[in-house]
Amino acid sequence: HHHVLYATAEGVKAVIDTGHYHPEAILWQRLADYRAAGGYGLLADCHAGRITVETLMQTLEAANLRGLGGAGFPTFKKWYFVRQETGPRYCAINADEGEPGTFKDRVYLERSPHRFLEGALVSAWAVEAEALYIYLRDEYPGLHRVLREAIGELETAGLVAPDYIILRRGAGAYICGEESAMIESLEGKPGKPRHRPPYVAQRGLFDCPTLVNNVETVAWIPLIWEKGADWFAGQGRHGRKGLRSFSLSGRVKRPGVHLAPAGITLNELIEEYGGGMPEGHRLAGYLPGGASGGLLPASKADIPLDFDTLQEHGGFIGSAAVIVLSDQDDLRDVATNLLAFFADESCGQCTPCRVGTEKMLSLLERDEWQSDELERLSQVMMDASICGLGQAAPNPVLGLLKDFRGELAAQNLIVKG
Ligand code: NAI
Ligand code: SF4
């Protein structure tokens, strides 16, 4: 496949082609190269007491670093919550990247596992974690080898105590990316989400306070420290702050992970980074946050894409998995497909999600839709599901009902109510 430009942060326009690869052929930055470029300097400064946790937290706050797994929770605040609790504490990194359309963490791990590991170790240091767990999705077998080798390099170099980093494999369940289900899975149990509160920051792994962060979130820490909070925060557009790794797919000429300013609009993203749409395609709509972030129409392609900017329009950026749909896509099929995905991946623990997803799927297969019935069912699922899966499952359908009535009518679908 195409060769890759390394995703340095200077390369705001850097394009990473994430096309097919052979697991044995992943070229990653080895420890010696990473260290030669100053890598693990931050970790050394932390361990030697040259940097305090407070200073680093202030930097992350000023940089506006937020949870890039999708929820956007301020990173420094998570550290603060976990540090408030009495030890022992743990740190667990969520590398179970399972959101449809999301493939950015894979790119960070493939290119620079040590930058990620340094960020993870700094996070573990910040909460004085007993151990650092990494939960890697099993569909990334090549990355399992990369991480194993990178951790081995660290142990051999004496930069980390043997067995301090514990690498675990998922087993293909989407729900195990939900943080409390991930923790259950790490404990050797079936991956079923827990009720919150308590949050994992209070009672997580082995019932101890646990810092759970996404791969990309921690991978930014060494770079933000090196280049400064202002540098990172200053990269946004349309009044937003920071950079986002958009997993761009669908009807664009150049799909891939594009590092772009937070707050960029869909139209700008497609034109400046995605190479435009293929000939003969007209924008019909887009999924701003994979399967979970709703379905927005072409008329909403000029909204800044970021946390907090899409809610009022019925969308959510989540992990920034932008899927571009054209007039040649059957949007009803798209919504039905996503619902089938959620029904399949529901852990079955709570009724509104287990029954609701199946029920909605059966309603979608009819040639006449009752919008009030679909909306009532959606409301129950959003209000009463235990976790984000059931709460987000109705989003694509709600999007269709809200903004795509004309398209549905053109498909001879009767929508009543
Ligand atoms: P959330 O907003 O409920 O929680 C976000 C984080 O903040 C969690 O770690 C939570 O423990 C913490 N938190 C929130 N309030 C807290 C408090 N008062 N005290 C301590 N900690 C607190 O969101 P959730 O359900 O964890 O994640 C949903 C997101 O995940 C969605 O945006 C979705 O897009 C994304 N997602 C990403 C996937 C991926 O593959 N990257 C897969 C599926 C969903
Ligand atoms: Fe399981 Fe769905 Fe309930 Fe989440 S909402 S706990 S996935 S049944």
Side-chain angles (χ1 to χ4, degrees):
H1 219 83
H2 305 309
H3 278 287
V4 169
L5 292 170
Y6 176 60
T8 61
E10 306 81 79
V12 173
K13 290 212 172 196
V15 175
I16 306 147
D17 188 321
T18 56
H20 299 291
Y21 68 99
H22 191 278
E24 299 296 321
I26 300 173
L27 291 173
W28 51 280
Q29 190 182 27
R30 298 279 162 170
L31 178 62
D33 294 332
Y34 184 67
R35 285 182 94 178
Y40 289 106
L42 170 61
L43 185 68
D45 286 347
C46 292
H47 284 162
R50 289 187 288 268
I51 294 170
T52 65
V53 184
E54 287 72 22
T55 312
L56 199 49
M57 279 168 60
Q58 280 159 14
T59 303
L60 299 184
E61 181 179 10
N64 194 39
L65 183 65
R66 301 175 64 166
L68 298 170
F73 196 83
T75 305
F76 81 95
K77 217 179 262 181
K78 259 195 194 180
W79 287 17
Y80 175 81
F81 281 139
V82 177
R83 286 170 54 82
Q84 292 272 72
E85 305 288 327
T86 335
R89 308 184 195 92
Y90 287 96
C91 180
I93 301 293
N94 191 340
D96 194 56
E97 182 169 52
E99 185 68 18
T102 309
F103 38 88
K104 64 185 181 66
D105 293 342
R106 172 183 144 187
V107 170
Y108 282 96
L109 294 172
E110 268 178 25
R111 302 298 153 218
S112 191
H114 280 297
R115 183 176 141 198
F116 153 70
L117 286 169
E118 181 175 15
L121 285 164
V122 167
S123 306
W125 162 82
V127 298
E128 294 160 24
E130 302 294 310
L132 168 62
Y133 282 77
I134 301 171
Y135 190 87
L136 179 69
R137 86 182 300 230
D138 212 29
E139 292 86 340
Y140 288 164
L143 285 180
H144 191 263
R145 189 180 56 84
V146 168
L147 281 176
R148 244 178 19 239
E149 287 181 22
I151 294 165
E153 286 184 326
L154 280 178
E155 291 178 351
T156 307
L159 288 174
V160 69
D163 302 323
Y164 181 73
I165 304 178
I166 300 163
L167 177 61
R168 288 286 176 79
R169 290 160 54 185
Y174 171 69
I175 196 58
C176 286
E178 197 283 337
E179 59 178 4
S180 62
M182 178 187 86
I183 279 173
E184 290 281 305
S185 177
L186 281 172
E187 291 176 354
K189 301 180 213 150
K192 291 195 189 334
R194 297 176 182 171
H195 281 277
R196 20 155 111 150
Y199 287 94
V200 297
Q202 293 139 3
R203 292 231 304 271
L205 197 54
F206 312 122
D207 259 347
C208 297
T210 304
L211 177 69
V212 176
N213 272 144
N214 161 263
V215 168
E216 186 195 352
T217 311
V218 300
W220 278 111
I221 295 172
L223 212 63
I224 288 174
W225 180 257
E226 183 194 323
K227 293 185 175 290
D230 293 345
W231 166 82
F232 187 76
Q235 304 276 353
R237 197 182 282 190
H238 302 303
R240 309 298 305 177
K241 289 181 184 169
L243 290 166
R244 301 282 174 262
S245 305
F246 288 93
S247 305
L248 185 62
S249 68
R251 305 294 189 177
V252 288
K253 284 187 184 155
R254 291 183 3 174
V257 176
H258 297 276
L259 197 57
I264 192 169
T265 69
L266 180 82
N267 279 330
E268 291 165 347
L269 187 66
I270 293 175
E271 286 314 312
E272 295 172 38
Y273 294 82
M277 293 181 68
E279 312 314 325
H281 288 266
R282 190 173 46 78
L283 182 68
Y286 64 108
L287 298 161
S292 316
L295 175 57
L296 297 178
S299 60
K300 293 181 180 169
D302 289 314
I303 316 167
L305 298 174
D306 198 12
F307 301 119
D308 319 318
T309 57
L310 304 179
Q311 265 91 331
E312 60 185 291
H313 303 282
F316 192 74
I317 190 174
S319 53
V322 175
I323 304 176
V324 179
L325 303 163
S326 83
D327 53 349
Q328 293 181 37
D329 294 307
D330 181 333
L331 299 178
R332 183 185 171 187
D333 260 10
V334 170
T336 309
N337 183 293
L338 294 176
L339 247 298
F341 170 78
F342 287 126
D344 203 46
E345 295 292 345
S346 166
C347 84
Q349 167 175 212
C350 63
T351 314
C353 169
R354 182 187 66 246
V355 180
T357 48
E358 290 291 349
K359 171 82 180 162
M360 187 163 283
L361 200 51
S362 71
L363 293 177
L364 294 183
E365 276 153 10
R366 296 185 186 169
D367 290 328
E368 198 177 294
W369 286 8
Q370 301 287 339
S371 74
D372 50 349
E373 192 181 8
L374 286 166
E375 277 158 10
R376 277 206 312 276
L377 178 58
S378 300
Q379 200 61 52
V380 172
M381 293 168 69
M382 291 188 293
D383 290 346
S385 293
I386 291 179
C387 85
L389 189 153
Q391 291 158 12
N395 283 346
V397 176
L398 291 174
L400 275 187
L401 291 174
K402 187 166 186 267
D403 289 311
F404 295 89
R405 293 290 179 118
E407 285 82 351
L408 294 177
Q411 280 185 266
N412 296 322
L413 180 79
I414 302 160
V415 183
K416 290 202 169 151

